[in-house]
Amino acid sequence: MSTYIAPMNDIRFALHDVLQVESLFARLGFEDATRDTVDAVLDECARLCETVLAPLNRVGDVQGVRFDKTTGAVTTPDGFKAAYDQFVEGGWTGMSAPTEFGGMNMPHAIGICLEEMIDAANLAWSNFPLLSHGAVNALHHHGEAWQKEVFLKPLIAGTWTGTMCLTEPHCGTDLGMLKTRAEPVGTDVYAITGTKIFITAGEHDLTPNIVHLVLARLPDAPEGSRGISLFVVPKLRVARDGTVGGRNAVRCGAVEHKMGIHGSATCVMNFDGAEGYLVGQPHKGLMAMFTMMNTARLGVGVQGLGLATRAYENALRYARERLQSRALSGPKLPAKPADPILVQPDVRRMLLTCKALTEGGRLLAYHAGSLVDGAAHGADAAARKDADDLLGFLTPIVKGCLTEWGNECTSHALQCYGGHGYIAEHGMEQLARDARITTLYEGTTGIQALDLMGRKVLQLQGAGLRVFLGMIETFCAEHEGTPTLAEFTGPLRAHAAQWQQITGSIAERAAADPEEIGAAAYDYMFFSGYVALAYWWARSVAVADASSHPETFKAGKRETARFYFARILPRTAMHAAAITSGPATLLSVPDEAFDS
Amino acid sequence: MSTYIAPMNDIRFALHDVLQVESLFARLGFEDATRDTVDAVLDECARLCETVLAPLNRVGDVQGVRFDKTTGAVTTPDGFKAAYDQFVEGGWTGMSAPTEFGGMNMPHAIGICLEEMIDAANLAWSNFPLLSHGAVNALHHHGEAWQKEVFLKPLIAGTWTGTMCLTEPHCGTDLGMLKTRAEPVGTDVYAITGTKIFITAGEHDLTPNIVHLVLARLPDAPEGSRGISLFVVPKLRVARDGTVGGRNAVRCGAVEHKMGIHGSATCVMNFDGAEGYLVGQPHKGLMAMFTMMNTARLGVGVQGLGLATRAYENALRYARERLQSRALSGPKLPAKPADPILVQPDVRRMLLTCKALTEGGRLLAYHAGSLVDGAAHGADAAARKDADDLLGFLTPIVKGCLTEWGNECTSHALQCYGGHGYIAEHGMEQLARDARITTLYEGTTGIQALDLMGRKVLQLQGAGLRVFLGMIETFCAEHEGTPTLAEFTGPLRAHAAQWQQITGSIAERAAADPEEIGAAAYDYMFFSGYVALAYWWARSVAVADASSHPETFKAGKRETARFYFARILPRTAMHAAAITSGPATLLSVPDEAFDS
C-alpha cells in the first residue's frame, strides 16, 4: 500500500526560505500567522493527514461510495465520517475563512499547503470539504447579509458542506446552454427545476445538510451566458431566520462509476421545484461562479501536486529497496545479490522528473496562494492590482500544468515499480487513476489554456506576464555578480526573452486570425509553465546556497536544478515550434479525412 | 460504451500501397498470401473483432476473472469461453503457425494486423491466445521432435493454451536471480518447484490443458543468468506418446487485482514438484526464452497501437457529435445551438496527435512484422541478415514507443470527452487503464531502451540503424526531383543525419563511461522512434499522392504529415538535448538528497 509522509522539509523551505511568508503575512495584516503558528498548524495537519486520512485512501478506492436507489441516500466509505468529524472538531474547515463567521483567518497561502497534504493523503475524501470553500466564497462575496448569517457559519464550522451545481448533461464547458429553470414562487423564493451532473459531494452522510450553489435561468433571462443566475438551494429547507425545516425537492438520482476517486460522491442531482434563494444580481450568476472557480482551480492544481508528491516518495522508497541488476559501471553493493534500482540512470530520470516538477511546482502553487492574500490585503491599490494580475495569469498555469504534471509524475512513479506498479495492493495505480480527474474537472487543460491565452494574455494585454517577467529580471539582476548562479540565470534570461517575444508574436497574429489563440494556447501554457519553473529552480538554488541548510540539501537543490535545466526545460523548444507552426497545421486536415 | 470498427482503409493502405506485401510475400515464398486472400482474412477477422470480441470488452472489465481459493480454479468473464471457441473453430489460433503442425502458414506481417484488431477489440481477452504463440515458437525452435509432435498441434489448434513463466516475486528484469528449481526424477523428467508471478493466462477455463514454459535451475547450474534452463510443464500430465494424464503439481495460488485488463488472468503459479521436460540445452534457457520474447515484444507494441486506434476513433466520433461552444473565428453550424468540438484547434491537436502516431505507428509495426518474415525466408543470407538486423533494431522501438504512444493517445482521447471521459460507461477510461500495462510487461520501457542502446546499437555496432538510414536515403534520393515532397524530405534528411551523429557520439562517450548507455537510452529510443515515423509519414504522402485514392484521403495523409513534422517531430529536440547533457545530470544528485 502506498503511504504518505508530508514533505515538511521542502514545504518549510518553500514557505519560509523562498517565499519568506512570515514577513509577507505581517505586511498583509495577518498578525497571527507567525512562523511558529504556521509551523504548528502545518505539523498538526501533517499528523492528521498521515495517520487518519492516508490510511483511508485505499479503503475509499476499494469500497467506493454506495448509492441507495430507493432513498437517494449516499453512504461514504468506512471511516470517512469519523475522519470528517475529527477534521471538523480540529477546526480545519474554517482555517482560512473570515473570523466574523467562525473562521481562523489564516492566509490563503497556508490554506494551499494544507490542501496539498490533505489531497495527497486522500483525494477522494478531500473533495467533501473542498467544495464548501467555493460555496463560502460565493456567499461571502455575493450573498445578502441574512444569507451569510444563515449559511456561512455552518459551512465554515463544517457542520454543513457545500456544492457547486454547474454542469448539465448537454453542457459543461459551454454553460451558456444550460436549461435549469428558476421560477419565482414568493418573495425572493424560487422553485428550481432541472438536472445537474458531476456534482461533487452532491449527496453524502457526513453532515445533515448540504448547501447547493446552483446556476439556473430566471423566466425573463436573456439567452446564453448572460441569462444565468446563481441560487442557494439547501438539501434541508432553511428559513431566513435560520430555522432548518424538512427535505427540499432536490435528490440524488445516481452516482457515477469513475476511473478513480471512488470514495468521492460524484452525483446526478435532480431539482424538482426545489426552494432556493437568489444570490447576487439576476443574470449575473456566471460571473459570481467564476469568482469562486478561480480559487477552486488553484485548488485542483494543488491536487496534482499532492498526488505527484505522494507517488514520488513511494517510488523513491521502492527504488532504494528493490534489488535488481547491477549498475552499468559495476556493482554498487557487491555484498548484496543486486544493486537497488536507484542506481539505474533511467530510474533516476523518472524520479528526478518527479522531484523537479513537484518541488518547483510547489513554489509555483504556494506563490500563487500568497497572491490571493496579496490581491485582497496588499498595502495599496497598485500592489493589489499587480498581485491580482499575476494571480489571474498564474491560475490557469497552476491548474493546467500541475495537473498534467501530476499525471506525468504518478505515471513515472508507477513505472518505477515495474509490473508491481500495475497491481492494486501497491497503491501506485490508484494514484494514477485518481490524478486523471484533475485535468478534467474545474475546466479541462484546454480550457485553462484558452483562459490564459485569450483572457489573461490577450484581453488583459499581458499585465500578469509583465509582473512575472519583472520578477525574473529582478532576480537575474540581483545575482549578476554570482558566478555560481550564471549557469541558471543565463538560460533563464534567454527563456524570459523568448517568452516575451512569443507572446508578442501570438498577439500580433491573433489580431488577424482568431484561430491563432486556440492553436497556440496549449503550447503557450506549457512554455509558460516551464519557464516559470526555471525561475523557481534558479531561485531555489540561490536561496539554498545562502541558507544554513545542510550541504546535502544544497547539493540536492543545485543538482536537481541542473537536471531541470538540462533535461526538462528543453521541452520549451518543442512547444515553441508548435506555436510557430500556427493554426494551419491543425485546421488544414479536412474534417472528413480524420478517419483512419 | 466505446466501440471498435477496424480501420480497414488504413490497414490496407499500409499493407498494399506502402509495404506492397503481395509482391513481398511472393518473393518470400508465401504463395497463398495473395492480395485477395489477405483481404478476405482481414475482413473476416475484423468481423469477429467488431461483433464478438469488442462487445465483451466492458463485460471483462466489470466482471474480471474470478478465482476459487479452494480449488485454484479461474473462471473467465461471461462470454469469453464462447468467443474463444469461435476463435478456435475459425482456425485463428494457427494463422501464422507452420502447416506441418496444423497451422495456416500466413506471413507474420499479416499476423501483426490480426493482433492489432484483436487487441483493440478486447485486450484482456487477447492475452489468452497471445501467449500460446510464445510457447509455440519456443517449442518449434528448441523442442525435441516428440515435444513438437505432442505439444505443438493442440497449441496451434488452440485446444490448449501456453504460458511463459519467468518472473518470480524477487526478480523480473534480473532473471539471473531466479530460484525455481528443477530436480531430475527419471529419464528426461524433472520435478519443478518454485513460485512464479505475473503469469498471464496461467489458469483459466477456456481449454482443458495449459502448457507452461518455465525457467528454472538444474542442480548443477552455474549462478546467474548462465544457469537457467527451460522446461515444458503441462497442467495435465502429458506422456511422450501424447497420452494426457491427471493433474500435475502446478496450481494457481492467486490472481492479481490490477489497474486494468481485469478480464485477463494474471496468476501466481505454484510449482510443487511438477513434472516437466527440458526444452533445448541445459543452462541455455534464457536464450531460448529471448527468442520468443522478441516476437512477444512486437506483439505488445501492437497492443499499444490497437488501443490507441480504438480510443482515437471513439474520440473522433464524440468530437463530431458533441456540440459545445463556438469556433473562435465564428459559428460553423449557426443553425445548431453550438459547434461540434471538432472545430476547436486544441481538440484537433489531440486527435491529430492520435492520428499521426497511430497511422505512422501502424507502418512501423507492420514493417517490423514483415521483417520477421524476411529474416526467416529472405532470398539469400545477406538479405536475411539485413532483415534480422533491422528487426532487432526496430523491436525495442516498436515495443517502447508504441506502448508509450498508446498511453499518450488513450489519454488524449479520454481528454476529448472532458469529464465524461472519466466515467466508466463511456469506456474511454478502460482503454487508458488497459493501455497502462503495455509499458510494463515483456520488459518495461526502460528495458527496451537499454536493449536498443546497449545491445542493438553498441554491441551490434548499429547494423540495424544503417539499414534504416539506407532506406531513408533511398527514399529521399528517389524523390529528389519531386517538389511537393521537399517539405518532408529536407527535414527527414536532416534528422537522419542528426540520428547518425548522435549515435556516434553516444558510442564514443560510452567507451569511456558505461553509464552513458543508461543515461542516453530512453531519449535515444524516442529520438529514433520519431525519426522513423517521419520517414513513414513522408513515404505515406509520396505513396498516397501516386495512388488512385480519393483526394480527401490524399489530403488527409499530406496534412497529417505536415502536422507531424510541425508539431510532433520537434520532440526530437528535447530528446537530443537530454542525450547531450549526459550521465552527470542524472548521477550527480546525491542519493540521500532525493527526499523532498
Side-chain angles (χ1 to χ4, degrees):
Chain A
M1 207 179 87
S2 84
T3 57
Y4 176 61
I5 306 295
M8 294 311 297
N9 255 345
D10 199 63
I11 290 177
R12 285 206 197 87
F13 175 74
L15 283 179
H16 299 309
D17 294 279
V18 183
L19 297 173
Q20 306 190 7
V21 293
E22 193 174 40
S23 57
L24 173 73
F25 293 158
R27 283 202 305 280
L28 297 177
F30 294 101
E31 304 83 8
D32 298 342
T34 60
R35 178 165 184 153
D36 285 353
T37 305
V38 164
D39 283 350
V41 166
L42 292 174
D43 285 344
E44 190 54 27
C45 185
R47 203 194 51 75
L48 183 79
C49 290
E50 293 167 3
T51 61
V52 177
L53 298 181
L56 292 175
N57 195 43
R58 183 147 155 72
V59 176
D61 188 55
V62 171
Q63 291 187 1
V65 291
R66 281 152 292 172
F67 175 63
D68 184 329
K69 236 183 210 172
T70 324
T71 63
V74 170
T75 309
T76 53
D78 294 350
F80 270 39
K81 177 151 172 54
Y84 185 77
D85 291 344
Q86 209 174 326
F87 193 74
V88 168
E89 278 156 32
W92 296 104
T93 54
M95 195 51 67
S96 50
T99 45
E100 191 186 350
F101 299 100
M104 306 247 197
N105 195 35
M106 285 296 278
H108 199 84
I110 300 305
I112 288 268
C113 309
L114 305 182
E115 280 179 26
E116 181 199 329
M117 292 192 252
I118 296 165
D119 298 339
N122 197 327
L123 184 65
W125 185 91
S126 80
N127 272 339
F128 289 101
L130 176 73
L131 273 289
S132 299
H133 291 304
V136 166
N137 280 347
L139 289 164
H140 193 235
H141 286 101
H142 306 283
E144 296 175 33
W146 76 267
Q147 291 173 342
K148 294 187 200 183
E149 194 58 33
V150 163
F151 292 109
L152 283 188
K153 283 183 182 172
L155 281 171
I156 287 171
T159 51
W160 297 355
T161 63
T163 75
M164 289 164 64
C165 297
L166 288 70
T167 305
E168 299 183 4
H170 66 291
C171 72
T173 294
D174 188 359
L175 289 172
M177 294 166 80
L178 72 80
K179 292 177 182 166
T180 297
R181 302 186 319 272
E183 310 269 351
V185 289
T187 317
D188 288 342
V189 180
Y190 298 83
I192 312 291
T193 303
T195 298
K196 296 287 183 177
I197 63 168
F198 299 167
I199 307 309
T200 298
E203 181 59 78
H204 58 72
D205 56 0
L206 302 183
T207 58
N209 206 2
I210 299 171
V211 180
H212 304 289
L213 275 287
V214 185
L215 291 183
R217 288 185 186 285
L218 289 165
D220 61 341
E223 284 207 356
S225 59
R226 287 152 206 264
I228 298 171
S229 307
L230 182 63
F231 299 87
V232 56
V233 186
K235 173 182 169 182
L236 300 178
R237 285 196 180 83
V238 178
R240 294 169 68 106
D241 63 0
T243 314
V244 178
R247 274 297 294 265
N248 205 343
V250 49
R251 188 184 152 119
C252 175
V255 297
E256 305 287 357
H257 295 99
K258 307 183 299 293
M259 184 179 193
I261 52 167
H262 293 160
S264 171
T266 307
C267 301
V268 175
M269 297 303 295
N270 296 317
F271 294 84
D272 190 17
E275 262 182 28
Y277 305 103
L278 182 68
V279 178
Q281 298 301 306
H283 317 317
K284 301 284 184 204
L286 210 54
M287 205 49 86
M289 212 51 145
F290 274 125
T291 322
M292 56 198 267
M293 223 190 286
N294 274 328
T295 327
R297 285 177 172 180
L298 275 189
V300 175
V302 170
Q303 295 181 348
L305 170 64
L307 290 171
T309 301
R310 180 179 184 154
Y312 170 56
E313 67 184 42
N314 281 277
L316 176 59
R317 192 186 56 241
Y318 188 80
R320 281 175 171 148
E321 287 169 1
R322 175 77 173 173
L323 303 178
Q324 202 79 178
S325 307
R326 293 293 186 187
L328 286 176
S329 53
K332 300 293 177 222
L333 297 180
K336 300 258 185 182
D339 288 334
I341 59 172
L342 183 60
V343 307
Q344 299 296 332
D346 196 58
V347 172
R348 297 172 86 90
R349 174 188 64 78
M350 294 188 280
L351 291 172
L352 287 172
T353 302
C354 295
K355 185 175 167 73
L357 294 177
T358 53
E359 294 182 7
R362 181 167 291 119
L363 280 164
L364 189 67
Y366 288 9
H367 173 240
S370 76
L371 293 170
V372 176
D373 301 313
H377 306 289
D380 53 43
R384 288 196 295 274
K385 183 183 180 304
D386 270 7
D388 195 52
D389 285 342
L390 186 52
L391 173 62
F393 178 74
L394 290 177
T395 297
I397 298 175
V398 168
K399 162 61 162 93
C401 295
L402 281 185
T403 60
E404 293 285 346
W405 294 337
N407 276 278
E408 179 181 345
C409 294
T410 52
S411 185
H412 286 317
L414 187 162
Q415 188 75 17
C416 288
Y417 277 69
H420 297 274
Y422 202 65
I423 307 299
E425 65 176 304
H426 290 289
M428 301 306 285
E429 60 89 31
Q430 184 192 344
L431 297 177
R433 282 186 291 108
D434 287 356
R436 192 64 189 82
I437 188 59
T438 61
T439 68
L440 298 164
Y441 62 14
E442 294 298 336
T444 61
T445 304
I447 293 301
Q448 305 307 316
L450 276 182
D451 177 49
L452 175 67
M453 189 84 262
R455 189 170 162 69
K456 308 300 174 52
V457 173
L458 298 179
Q459 278 182 40
L460 303 179
Q461 302 182 315
L465 171 63
R466 271 197 303 279
V467 182
F468 203 95
L469 289 172
M471 285 166 53
I472 294 179
E473 187 43 44
T474 304
F475 171 78
C476 291
E478 269 171 22
H479 295 285
E480 197 85 69
T482 319
T484 51
L485 290 176
E487 62 182 297
F488 306 115
T489 51
L492 177 58
R493 255 197 177 129
H495 278 83
Q498 194 187 359
W499 197 6
Q500 192 165 20
Q501 177 267 315
I502 281 179
T503 310
S505 78
I506 295 171
E508 213 167 280
R509 292 200 303 263
D513 179 4
E515 296 289 6
E516 174 75 23
I517 300 165
Y522 172 88
D523 290 285
Y524 181 79
M525 183 170 76
F526 279 94
F527 187 96
S528 303
Y530 289 117
V531 180
L533 239 56
Y535 165 76
W536 287 114
W537 269 109
R539 200 164 145 186
S540 290
V541 175
V543 170
D545 279 355
S547 77
S548 56
H549 284 286
E551 286 309 312
T552 307
F553 181 89
K554 295 181 186 182
K557 288 294 179 193
R558 173 172 291 274
E559 297 300 338
T560 306
R562 284 180 170 157
F563 166 84
Y564 181 82
F565 274 76
R567 288 182 176 255
I568 304 287
L569 189 57
R571 295 181 185 183
T572 52
M574 157 184 98
H575 292 300
I579 292 167
T580 307
S581 79
T585 48
L586 298 171
L587 299 177
S588 302
V589 182
D591 285 6
E592 60 281 16
F594 272 69
D595 307 82
S596 286
Chain B
M1 207 178 89
S2 82
T3 57
Y4 177 61
I5 306 293
M8 294 311 298
N9 256 344
D10 200 64
I11 289 177
R12 286 206 196 89
F13 175 74
L15 284 179
H16 300 308
D17 295 278
V18 183
L19 297 173
Q20 305 189 9
V21 293
E22 193 175 40
S23 57
L24 173 73
F25 293 159
R27 285 201 305 280
L28 297 178
F30 294 102
E31 304 82 9
D32 299 340
T34 60
R35 179 165 184 154
D36 284 353
T37 307
V38 163
D39 282 349
V41 166
L42 293 174
D43 285 343
E44 190 54 27
C45 184
R47 203 194 52 75
L48 183 78
C49 290
E50 292 167 3
T51 61
V52 177
L53 299 180
L56 293 174
N57 195 42
R58 182 146 156 73
V59 177
D61 189 55
V62 172
Q63 292 186 1
V65 292
R66 280 151 293 172
F67 175 64
D68 183 330
K69 235 182 209 172
T70 324
T71 62
V74 170
T75 309
T76 53
D78 293 351
F80 271 39
K81 176 151 173 54
Y84 186 77
D85 291 344
Q86 210 174 326
F87 193 74
V88 169
E89 279 156 32
W92 297 104
T93 54
M95 197 50 65
S96 50
T99 44
E100 189 187 351
F101 300 102
M104 307 246 197
N105 194 36
M106 285 295 279
H108 198 84
I110 300 306
I112 288 266
C113 308
L114 305 182
E115 281 180 26
E116 181 199 329
M117 293 191 252
I118 297 166
D119 297 340
N122 197 326
L123 184 65
W125 185 92
S126 81
N127 272 339
F128 290 101
L130 176 72
L131 273 290
S132 299
H133 292 305
V136 166
N137 279 347
L139 289 164
H140 192 234
H141 286 102
H142 305 284
E144 296 175 33
W146 75 267
Q147 291 173 341
K148 293 187 200 184
E149 194 59 32
V150 163
F151 291 110
L152 283 189
K153 283 184 183 172
L155 281 171
I156 287 171
T159 50
W160 297 356
T161 64
T163 76
M164 288 165 63
C165 297
L166 288 70
T167 306
E168 300 183 3
H170 66 290
C171 72
T173 295
D174 188 359
L175 290 171
M177 294 166 79
L178 73 80
K179 291 177 182 167
T180 297
R181 303 185 320 271
E183 309 270 351
V185 289
T187 317
D188 288 339
V189 181
Y190 297 82
I192 313 292
T193 303
T195 297
K196 296 286 181 176
I197 64 167
F198 298 167
I199 307 310
T200 298
E203 180 59 78
H204 58 72
D205 56 1
L206 302 183
T207 58
N209 205 4
I210 300 171
V211 181
H212 304 288
L213 275 288
V214 185
L215 291 183
R217 289 186 184 284
L218 290 165
D220 60 343
E223 283 207 358
S225 59
R226 286 153 209 264
I228 297 171
S229 307
L230 181 64
F231 299 87
V232 55
V233 186
K235 173 182 169 182
L236 300 178
R237 283 197 181 85
V238 178
R240 295 170 67 107
D241 64 0
T243 315
V244 178
R247 274 298 294 264
N248 205 344
V250 49
R251 188 183 153 116
C252 175
V255 296
E256 306 286 356
H257 295 99
K258 308 183 298 292
M259 183 180 193
I261 50 167
H262 294 159
S264 171
T266 307
C267 301
V268 175
M269 296 304 296
N270 296 316
F271 294 84
D272 190 18
E275 262 183 28
Y277 305 104
L278 182 67
V279 178
Q281 298 301 306
H283 317 317
K284 301 284 184 205
L286 210 53
M287 205 52 84
M289 212 47 143
F290 273 125
T291 322
M292 56 198 267
M293 223 189 287
N294 274 330
T295 328
R297 285 177 172 179
L298 275 189
V300 175
V302 170
Q303 295 181 348
L305 170 63
L307 290 171
T309 301
R310 180 179 186 153
Y312 170 57
E313 66 184 44
N314 281 276
L316 176 58
R317 193 186 55 240
Y318 188 80
R320 282 176 172 150
E321 287 169 2
R322 175 77 171 172
L323 303 179
Q324 202 79 176
S325 306
R326 293 294 185 185
L328 286 176
S329 53
K332 300 292 176 226
L333 296 181
K336 300 258 186 183
D339 289 334
I341 59 172
L342 182 60
V343 307
Q344 299 296 331
D346 198 57
V347 171
R348 297 172 85 89
R349 174 188 64 78
M350 294 189 279
L351 291 172
L352 287 172
T353 302
C354 296
K355 185 175 168 71
L357 293 177
T358 52
E359 294 182 6
R362 181 166 293 120
L363 281 164
L364 190 67
Y366 288 8
H367 174 240
S370 76
L371 294 170
V372 175
D373 302 313
H377 306 288
D380 53 44
R384 288 195 295 273
K385 183 184 180 303
D386 270 8
D388 196 53
D389 284 343
L390 186 51
L391 173 63
F393 179 73
L394 290 177
T395 297
I397 298 175
V398 169
K399 163 62 162 91
C401 295
L402 281 185
T403 61
E404 293 285 347
W405 294 337
N407 276 277
E408 179 181 346
C409 294
T410 53
S411 184
H412 286 318
L414 186 163
Q415 188 76 18
C416 288
Y417 277 69
H420 297 274
Y422 202 64
I423 307 299
E425 66 175 304
H426 290 290
M428 302 306 287
E429 59 89 32
Q430 184 193 343
L431 297 177
R433 283 186 289 107
D434 287 357
R436 193 64 189 83
I437 188 58
T438 61
T439 67
L440 298 164
Y441 62 13
E442 294 297 336
T444 62
T445 304
I447 293 301
Q448 305 307 316
L450 277 182
D451 177 50
L452 175 67
M453 188 84 261
R455 187 167 163 72
K456 308 298 173 54
V457 172
L458 297 179
Q459 279 182 39
L460 303 179
Q461 302 181 317
L465 172 63
R466 269 195 304 279
V467 182
F468 203 95
L469 290 171
M471 285 166 54
I472 293 178
E473 187 43 44
T474 304
F475 171 78
C476 291
E478 269 170 21
H479 295 283
E480 197 87 69
T482 319
T484 51
L485 290 176
E487 63 182 296
F488 306 116
T489 51
L492 177 58
R493 255 198 177 126
H495 278 83
Q498 194 187 1
W499 197 6
Q500 192 166 21
Q501 177 267 315
I502 281 180
T503 310
S505 78
I506 295 171
E508 212 167 279
R509 292 200 305 264
D513 179 5
E515 296 289 6
E516 174 75 24
I517 300 166
Y522 172 88
D523 290 286
Y524 181 79
M525 184 168 76
F526 278 95
F527 187 97
S528 302
Y530 289 116
V531 180
L533 239 56
Y535 166 76
W536 287 115
W537 269 109
R539 200 165 144 186
S540 291
V541 176
V543 169
D545 279 356
S547 76
S548 56
H549 284 284
E551 286 309 312
T552 307
F553 181 89
K554 295 181 186 181
K557 287 295 179 194
R558 172 171 292 272
E559 297 300 338
T560 306
R562 284 179 170 157
F563 167 84
Y564 181 82
F565 274 76
R567 288 182 176 255
I568 304 286
L569 188 56
R571 295 182 185 182
T572 52
M574 157 184 98
H575 293 299
I579 292 168
T580 308
S581 79
T585 49
L586 297 171
L587 300 176
S588 301
V589 181
D591 285 6
E592 61 281 17
F594 272 69
D595 307 81
S596 286

